[in-house]
Amino acid sequence: QVQLAESGGGLVQAGGSLRLSCAASGRTFSTHALGWFRQALGKEREFVATISKSGGVTYYAASVKGRFTISRDNAKNTVYLQMNSLKFEDTAVYYCAADPTSWYSGSYYPRYWGQGTQVTVSS
């Protein structure tokens, strides 16, 4: 069982930056791949980024590639999402997710989910 708690959301102007954090409980953090998804109001949840168990492999949605960076600190049981050059269309609730299996596809549905943190980008 892995419990996830996101933080770092907020209101930012277009072009600005935010860093989301997701703290995980349990001693199995390093055995799980991690990722971020988002859901805008009235839209389906969409994949944002994922990182392998060791942190050596990352994969991004085309809409955020080059602007967002996912990273993890296994010693701190934390995964991060650095978001730069934010756009109005990045406004959404951002969810952290974890799974024992690494995934590199936007269609994979991880086993564990956090409660989400709101990111609002003003235009």
Side-chain angles (χ1 to χ4, degrees), residues 52-110:
S52 63
K53 300 171 189 180
S54 67
V57 181
T58 57
Y59 179 73
Y60 297 91
S63 58
V64 306
K65 193 171 185 179
R67 299 189 297 121
F68 291 11
T69 302
I70 188 171
S71 61
R72 65 188 295 165
D73 186 338
N74 286 348
K76 296 182 179 180
N77 281 12
T78 303
V79 60
Y80 305 97
L81 185 68
Q82 178 66 45
M83 305 185 294
N84 299 328
S85 302
L86 282 161
K87 305 176 182 180
F88 175 74
E89 50 265 40
D90 294 319
T91 296
V93 177
Y94 283 71
Y95 297 90
C96 175
D99 196 281
T101 301
S102 294
W103 77 95
Y104 306 107
S105 166
S107 60
Y108 191 80
Y109 193 85

